[in-house]
């Protein structure tokens, strides 16, 4: 049966991570680093595309989207600055869930996934993918991590003010993001019905990730990573600018492919004032094996059979 889509306008997302640093080196979002790894250009971070879904999902689910909405995405192809992207949302929910997709002007898929609202949420894109994972027994870069491992900094104190620069991982502020965002919304400013501006959907990732260096989830490196999949779920949202939160992290899966090793980290966000669970985020972060210079040597030392 064919899918009827709500289709957004083509937008040109902007690159804001050219100066991003983690573990003391530039990331894949640096043009030269991306070129050295064989990519056409520095990719725009995946959650940047989430903003284009907000007006479509607000139309499907109403204000409930900001309070109890869940977006779950598998990233398929990178986008570089200058390329146009179009967001699509299934018109009619099935058991409360709609499919989502994004594509470039030439039809190249950018991402696929699901969106839904709670309290049920249905089976999300990332939950389906985690359900198909097989045990990862040849990990090298992630060999020192374990499923069930908790963040060393739990609970971390996090906050996003409008003018706050979000550190070396995210060298910009929410105010600067709103000047370049592909799709703005009145709730991101003074018209928010919650007394404070809502954190834009694509900036939820920034809020949950900018202190990730405190987690203690140390992989071997230096090596280059990228986002392979992401889920943001509001339990009693939205997250708000100028609000204090507490964050707990946990590794919920480890996986591998021919080119990458991946960790799946669940972040739970609690309002600091009453410890109520407000939101959850899952990040599937994939590290490129070829970007780690000591990969083969470490594999041999660990007794890993890379020919298997």
């Amino acid at each position: 049966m064919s899918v009827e889509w709500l289709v957004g306008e083509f937008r040109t997302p902007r690159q804001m991570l050219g100066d991003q640093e983690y573990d003391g080196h530039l990331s894949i979002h640096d043009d030269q680093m991306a070129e050295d790894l064989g990519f056409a250009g520095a990719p725009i971070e995946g959650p940047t595309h989430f903003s284009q879904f907000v007006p479509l999902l607000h139309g499907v689910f109403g204000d409930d989207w900001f309070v109890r909405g869940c977006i779950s995405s598998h990233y398929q192809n990178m986008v570089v600055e200058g390329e146009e992207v179009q967001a699509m949302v299934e018109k009619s929910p099935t058991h409360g869930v709609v499919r989502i997709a994004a594509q470039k002007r030439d039809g190249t898929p950018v991402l696929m996934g699901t969106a839904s609202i709670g309290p049920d949420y249905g089976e999300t894109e990332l939950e389906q993918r985690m359900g198909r994972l097989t045990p990862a027994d040849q990990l090298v870069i992630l060999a020192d991590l374990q499923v069930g491992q908790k963040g060393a900094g739990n609970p971390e104190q996090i906050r996003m003010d409008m003018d706050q620069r979000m550190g070396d991982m995210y060298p910009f502020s929410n105010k600067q993001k709103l000047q370049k965002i592909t799709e703005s919304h009145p709730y991101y400013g003074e018209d928010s019905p919650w007394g404070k501006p809502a954190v834009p959907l694509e900036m939820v990732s920034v809020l949950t990730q900018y202190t990730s260096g405190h987690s203690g989830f140390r992989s071997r490196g230096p090596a280059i990573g990228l986002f392979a999949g992401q889920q943001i779920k509001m339990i009693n949202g939205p997250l708000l600018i100028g609000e204090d939160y507490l964050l707990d992290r946990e590794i919920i899966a480890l996986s591998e492919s021919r080119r990458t090793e991946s960790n799946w980290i669940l972040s739970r966000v609690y309002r600091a004032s009453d410890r109520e669970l407000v939101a959850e985020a899952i990040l599937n972060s994939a590290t490129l094996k070829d970007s780690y210079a000591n990969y083969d040597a470490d594999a041999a030392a660990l007794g890993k059979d890379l020919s298997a």
Side-chain angles (χ1 to χ4, degrees), residues 78-223:
M78 296 178 179
V79 175
V80 299
E81 188 163 293
E83 291 186 304
E84 294 178 290
V85 176
Q86 181 183 57
M88 299 176 290
V89 170
E90 190 177 12
K91 283 185 177 181
S92 303
T94 302
H95 304 298
V97 179
V98 294
R99 283 179 278 180
I100 65 170
Q103 64 181 6
K104 300 182 186 182
R105 176 71 75 169
D106 64 2
T108 300
V110 172
L111 63 82
M112 60 180 294
T114 60
S116 56
I117 58 171
D120 180 24
Y121 300 103
E123 189 177 26
T124 69
E125 178 71 27
L126 287 199
E127 288 168 354
Q128 293 175 46
R129 290 180 175 274
M130 284 190 290
R132 297 194 295 266
L133 294 178
T134 57
D137 54 8
Q138 296 294 330
L139 296 176
V140 175
I141 298 172
L142 305 182
D144 302 317
L145 302 180
Q146 297 179 356
V147 174
Q149 185 174 341
K150 309 286 188 180
N154 290 358
E156 300 174 23
Q157 296 183 352
I158 60 171
R159 177 187 174 103
M160 181 182 290
D161 292 316
M162 188 64 76
D163 292 309
Q164 176 186 353
R165 184 182 184 274
M166 302 306 291
D168 290 339
M169 279 279 289
Y170 296 98
F172 55 85
S173 67
N174 188 64
K175 183 177 181 179
Q176 290 172 315
K177 169 58 73 173
L178 291 177
Q179 293 169 352
K180 295 185 177 182
I181 199 167
T182 51
E183 295 280 0
S184 192
H185 194 281
Y187 293 173
Y188 300 159
E190 296 179 356
D191 292 331
S192 166
W194 298 283
K196 296 178 180 179
V199 175
L201 183 60
E202 68 171 277
M203 290 293 283
V204 173
S205 174
V206 175
L207 182 61
T208 58
Q209 281 296 112
Y210 82 103
T211 61
S212 59
H214 304 159
S215 68
F217 298 152
R218 305 302 298 178
S219 56
R220 301 181 182 215

Side-chain angles (χ1 to χ4, degrees), residues 226-247:
L226 65 159
F227 291 178
Q230 205 155 18
Q231 177 171 299
I232 295 171
K233 178 188 290 184
M234 293 296 150
I235 309 296
N236 187 16
L239 295 169
L240 299 173
I241 298 295
E243 188 83 10
D244 291 317
Y245 296 101
L246 300 174
L247 182 147

